Amino acid sequence: VGRGDEMIKTSGYRVSPTEVEEVALSSGWVREAVALGLPHEALGSMIRLVAWAEPVGWPGQDAATRELQSHCRRHVPGYLVPHEMIWTDEPLPRTPNGKLDRRFWSNDARL
């Protein structure tokens, strides 16, 4: 039941956040990633990717964002490409079971 709540509806598609996270991780630009569907005026729900950036070869936030989006466009359909990346140098919060805590990010006022 809980996993169904994680599905993101964006541009008429149902997206598993795991799909977005896996393609981000395969890029080599991030150590960890969490994808969220947050309200958007025009799209209803938009995918935002919060990523912990790899410290080796870090070209800067703007360049890393372009590279990651480009990687995603080459490997997944357009509706799986994040509209926005938020980079952090801190470990992503986890639940007591050790899983990424999506609720933490979706309740974060900074987003």
Side-chain angles (χ1 to χ4, degrees), residues 26-53:
S26 74
S27 74
W29 287 102
V30 297
R31 179 171 299 155
E32 289 186 304
V34 62
L36 303 172
L38 299 176
H40 186 276
E41 294 172 6
L43 299 177
S45 200
M46 108 176 173
I47 298 172
R48 284 189 178 179
L49 178 68
V50 179
W52 180 5

Side-chain angles (χ1 to χ4, degrees), residues 2-58:
R3 289 190 180 137
D5 294 339
E6 293 177 357
M7 294 300 286
I8 299 166
K9 187 161 184 182
T10 182
S11 302
Y13 295 95
R14 291 185 54 78
V15 174
S16 166
T18 307
E19 292 177 277
V20 179
E21 294 159 2
E22 287 173 355
V23 74
L25 292 171
S26 74
S27 74
W29 287 102
V30 297
R31 179 171 299 155
E32 289 186 304
V34 62
L36 303 172
L38 299 176
H40 186 276
E41 294 172 6
L43 299 177
S45 200
M46 108 176 173
I47 298 172
R48 284 189 178 179
L49 178 68
V50 179
W52 180 5
E54 283 287 343
V56 178
W58 175 244

Side-chain angles (χ1 to χ4, degrees), residues 44-108:
S45 200
M46 108 176 173
I47 298 172
R48 284 189 178 179
L49 178 68
V50 179
W52 180 5
E54 283 287 343
V56 178
W58 175 244
Q61 182 172 332
D62 292 338
T65 296
R66 283 191 305 273
E67 289 294 326
L68 184 54
Q69 284 182 321
S70 176
H71 172 81
C72 290
R73 283 187 192 101
R74 288 190 308 269
H75 293 89
V76 295
Y79 62 88
L80 289 175
V81 176
H83 295 94
E84 180 180 352
M85 270 49 122
I86 301 170
W87 298 93
T88 179
D89 58 358
E90 299 175 13
L92 297 178
R94 297 194 175 276
T95 66
N97 293 336
K99 295 181 180 181
L100 289 171
D101 188 357
R102 284 185 177 78
R103 289 183 186 177
F104 173 86
W105 290 103
S106 61
N107 292 330
D108 192 336

